[in-house]
Amino acid sequence: MLRRNNYGLIPSSEITSESLYQERRAFMKLGASAALMGSVPLMAALDFEKSKRGLEPTPFDQITTYNNFYEYGTDKESPAKLSKNLKIRPWTLTIGGEVQKSLTLDIDTLIKKIPLEERIYRFRCVEGWAMVVPWVGFTLASLLKQAGLTSKSKYVEFETLFDPVQFPQQSKSFGNIPFPYREGLRIDEAMHPLTILAVGLYGKELLPQNGAPIRLVVPWKYGFKSIKSIVNITLKEHQTRSTWNQIAPQEYGFYANVNPSVDHPRWSQSRERVLGKFFKQETLAFNGYGNEVAHLYKNMDLKKYY
Ligand SMILES: Nc1nc2c(c(=O)[nH]1)N[C@H]1C(S)=C(S)[C@@H](COP(=O)(O)O)O[C@H]1N2
Ligand SMILES: [Mo]
């Protein structure tokens, strides 16, 4: 299954347990992991190895049954229950706006062509819960480079599929949030080697509740930045729209970097509850990725740009 610098994704239908995944992990520890990291710049790879240490993945069942996906409802159980029939084939992803060459990509063709890697990341929701997820994906940078940046490519906007037939909440005229869900990153954040597009987790294809067939993962930011089921990526010259920032700008900033010293107006952000663990733990600045990303914000007041 593991090819050189490539990770064979197993369709979720072909796997019944975590045991195969554990075997693959053992195999990777025996030497495949260096090859797997081949496409990441050396320093990033070393930092990544460091940040990976001691991370114990949250059980698959918890990652796939406790979700935020407001297109299906605001509670944690609806996404897994209501998303079973999400049509993820065919699925088209567009990359446009301020790029040298707009791209329209079929997701399966893309996944077959692009080398996949595993990234075990901490994940912290702004609500105060956290988990550790073994994602499978590729860097957003590798995809943006295919489209080619211009001097006007300063921000990236992402959009979730708008399809009220499939996403029940999108047809409610007074739904929970305005759809389609949108998120944005500054271009240096988007090009950072830790920023990935995930197409799988635990070595399997993403399930719909986790944002199949392709979702963003930005591990040093609150979870709401990690937009699911993406259809459009648009490069822009000016700061982009961001759903939660538009709904409640005083509570959710555009940057949304995990920051234990800036509280949400209604609760503290200093601690977090890890799914499946009894005791809370301290939340880390930039979710523990400060060595890799703090320089991106060195001249910014992070209390103002929360
Ligand atoms: N399209 C879309 N993307 C979304 C959301 C959403 O409601 N709709 N919720 C966000 C929030 S608040 C979190 S915490 C994560 C949750 O991802 P998970 O369910 O895979 O853990 O997805 C983010 N991406
Ligand atoms: Mo969240």
Side-chain angles (χ1 to χ4, degrees), residues 14-58:
E14 285 177 22
I15 293 228
T16 50
S17 77
E18 271 172 52
S19 62
L20 178 56
Y21 169 80
Q22 299 300 354
E23 278 169 37
R24 285 151 60 101
R25 293 277 323 142
F27 172 65
M28 282 164 56
K29 281 197 195 109
L30 287 172
S33 85
L36 203 68
M37 297 304 301
S39 67
V40 181
L42 186 62
M43 279 316 293
L46 292 176
D47 283 342
F48 171 59
E49 285 298 324
K50 230 190 313 162
S51 62
K52 199 172 72 166
R53 209 159 293 157
L55 287 183
E56 182 197 330
T58 299

Side-chain angles (χ1 to χ4, degrees), residues 58-69 74-81 123 125 127-131 133 135 201 207 209-210 215 228 273-276:
T58 299
F60 180 82
D61 288 346
Q62 282 179 326
I63 298 174
T64 55
T65 56
Y66 186 91
N67 300 101
N68 273 337
F69 203 162
T74 52
D75 64 296
K76 301 287 185 273
E77 293 75 32
S78 288
K81 283 188 200 141
F123 186 97
C125 173
E127 296 162 344
W129 54 270
M131 58 183 174
V133 186
W135 302 106
L201 61 83
L207 291 175
Q209 57 266 41
N210 294 107
R215 62 96 54 89
K228 296 177 169 181
R273 179 177 58 87
V274 181
L275 299 188

Side-chain angles (χ1 to χ4, degrees), residues 68 76 123-127 129 181 222-225 244:
N68 273 337
K76 301 287 185 273
F123 186 97
R124 170 62 154 82
C125 173
V126 74
E127 296 162 344
W129 54 270
Y181 195 98
Y222 290 120
F224 67 85
K225 298 295 288 184
W244 283 102

